[in-house]
Amino acid sequence: MTKQQKAEVIDFLTAEFKESQAIVVCDYKGLTHKELESLRKSAKENGAKVQVAKNTLVTVAVKNAELGDVELSGTNVFLWSEDQISACKVADKFASENSEKFVIKSGIIEGEPADLARVNAFAKLPSRDELIGMLLSVWTAPARNLVTGLDNLRAKKEEEAA
């Protein structure tokens, strides 16, 4: 890899990490190409991004993005997303499906270092779309109950009239 290519990777990762709310570091040793592509597809569907890069380049990119210091070793794949939950959910789901070959090591969530427990905690939270669905359900409950009550009253009146 030339110096120019390394600089391009660092610039790309720095820009991406500045925009992201969560970065998850995982060990992928032993994954096949097909399994790694499955991870990429899953990440893309959930609004997260995946990159395999040299640890030294990622360390520089994290420093440039002003996210603190991160110590990296071994084979790592990096997942990140604009929200805190997507990357954590993708990593957690993939880790549960491929527990022998894919291990969540650590992460950076909202600019703070995160251990495995914190990444898993964020993975258990509902996504933005799920939260909107819950809120919509709460908002429509009074109208739904009113309609059900009126329908029951109509049925009762028709029964009494017959």
Side-chain angles (χ1 to χ4, degrees):
M1 198 177 232
T2 66
K3 275 190 172 185
Q4 182 179 357
Q5 289 172 325
K6 289 179 183 179
E8 289 172 4
V9 169
I10 290 171
D11 291 342
F12 169 75
L13 290 175
T14 299
E16 289 290 323
F17 290 168
K18 280 184 180 179
E19 298 296 318
S20 69
Q21 291 291 316
I23 303 167
V24 181
V25 181
C26 305
D27 185 354
Y28 71 102
K29 192 172 190 173
L31 279 183
T32 64
H33 178 71
K34 191 173 187 178
E35 291 168 329
L36 196 55
E37 286 304 313
S38 169
L39 172 63
R40 290 180 197 278
K41 182 180 177 188
S42 176
K44 188 175 183 180
E45 289 171 356
N46 290 294
K49 297 178 182 177
V50 177
Q51 178 82 34
V52 175
K54 290 186 175 186
N55 293 336
T56 53
L57 301 180
V58 173
T59 302
V60 171
V62 167
K63 283 182 184 177
N64 290 348
E66 299 173 1
L67 297 173
D69 291 331
V70 63
E71 303 234 354
L72 302 170
S73 62
T75 55
N76 294 314
V77 63
F78 304 91
L79 291 89
W80 67 91
S81 62
E82 290 182 7
D83 63 45
Q84 301 91 341
I85 299 171
S86 297
C88 296
K89 276 189 180 291
V90 170
D92 185 60
K93 182 178 178 190
F94 198 78
S96 65
E97 294 170 357
N98 301 282
S99 58
E100 294 176 8
K101 302 176 188 175
F102 188 84
V103 179
I104 299 172
K105 289 181 169 181
S106 64
I108 300 172
I109 299 176
E110 295 178 338
E112 300 284 323
D115 60 353
L116 175 62
R118 187 164 180 215
V119 171
N120 286 336
F122 271 85
K124 304 294 183 249
L125 294 174
S127 68
R128 182 178 184 272
D129 291 339
E130 291 169 336
L131 287 172
I132 289 172
M134 289 178 197
L135 183 62
L136 188 60
S137 177
V138 168
W139 281 348
T140 60
R144 190 173 44 249
N145 291 340
L146 177 66
V147 169
T148 303
L150 290 174
D151 189 46
N152 290 342
L153 181 63
R154 178 195 53 80
K156 184 178 178 185
K157 292 288 183 180
E158 286 177 357
E159 197 176 281
E160 288 174 359

